[in-house]
Amino acid sequence: KKRAAELRVEILFKQPESSYLGDCPICCLPLSIDPEYSTIMMCCSKVICDGCYYANEIREVKASLIPSCSFCRQPVQAGDKLEKQRMTRIEANDPAAMSQKGIELDKKGDYQSALTYFTKAAGLGDAEAHYWLSHLYSDGLGVEKDSRKEIHHLEEAAIGGHPEARFNLGCDEKE
């Protein structure tokens, strides 16, 4: 049991090799840890760097094409069609789509539904979902406040390379 705890601590404090978001699937450069510099495409749930997204927009304008996904080239949807695409991705057990749906529901104040999506995505290993679960347990939103579960999900997100989770763990340790 002691060795298992030592291994967990070793994994927790290991420096991640790249962003928890991985690399842009188009240019293969590491994605920024700041989500402002990337775009998630709902049709295929790929996170694309802003450079590739912008290059695709320029290509579409120059060739007078309809707007399409930078990765899979499906036409960009809006409204109900976009939600249908997202639900198709969720039904296919796509953790990125589940996390995005959970974040949307969290921002609307529907914490119970957000909890469901975050729990499923975290079960599939999504670091972002673990981070948002820690937020729910920290503030008692849709669940009873539980600092042990908060720390557990922060640790899982940190192990996955989530920078804000690492920061929050450091703050908790300082206290």
Side-chain angles (χ1 to χ4, degrees):
K1 201 168 189 165
K2 183 181 177 189
R3 179 68 181 141
E6 288 172 357
L7 287 174
R8 181 161 176 83
V9 168
E10 187 177 313
I11 291 169
L12 181 61
F13 290 107
K14 182 179 178 188
Q15 191 73 342
E17 293 176 17
S18 67
S19 163
Y20 73 103
L21 294 170
D23 299 335
C24 174
I26 297 172
C27 66
C28 299
L29 292 174
L31 290 166
S32 171
I33 59 172
D34 186 350
E36 294 294 316
Y37 298 110
S38 58
T39 304
I40 185 165
M41 307 306 295
M42 278 297 117
C43 50
C44 55
S45 293
K46 297 293 184 189
V47 180
I48 309 294
C49 72
D50 278 354
C52 291
Y53 184 80
Y54 181 64
N56 186 54
E57 282 185 334
I58 291 171
R59 180 189 66 84
E60 291 168 350
V61 169
K62 283 184 177 179
S64 300
L65 300 171
I66 60 169
S68 63
C69 172
S70 304
F71 184 75
C72 69
R73 302 287 191 226
Q74 286 190 12
V76 173
Q77 303 293 333
D80 291 340
K81 288 185 177 183
L82 176 66
E83 188 58 27
K84 186 177 178 189
Q85 272 185 334
R86 181 188 294 170
M87 293 312 291
T88 301
R89 300 297 312 156
I90 289 171
E91 289 166 7
N93 282 332
D94 183 339
M98 290 178 197
S99 284
Q100 289 302 313
K101 182 69 175 176
I103 291 168
E104 180 184 298
L105 292 168
D106 181 89
K107 289 181 179 177
K108 288 180 181 176
D110 186 359
Y111 303 116
Q112 284 298 124
S113 298
L115 176 71
T116 303
Y117 285 106
F118 289 142
T119 303
K120 277 181 139 178
L124 294 169
D126 189 60
E128 187 76 15
H130 278 292
Y131 177 74
W132 279 88
L133 280 171
S134 75
H135 161 69
L136 294 179
Y137 283 109
S138 169
D139 297 338
L141 302 171
V143 292
E144 200 171 307
K145 270 188 170 186
D146 188 337
S147 61
R148 289 184 67 206
K149 286 185 179 180
E150 173 199 2
I151 297 298
H152 167 75
H153 288 293
L154 277 176
E155 287 179 351
E156 290 297 319
I159 287 169
H162 197 287
E164 290 176 52
R166 286 177 174 265
F167 174 79
N168 290 351
L169 273 175
C171 290
D172 280 349
E173 196 169 292
K174 185 178 179 185
E175 293 171 3

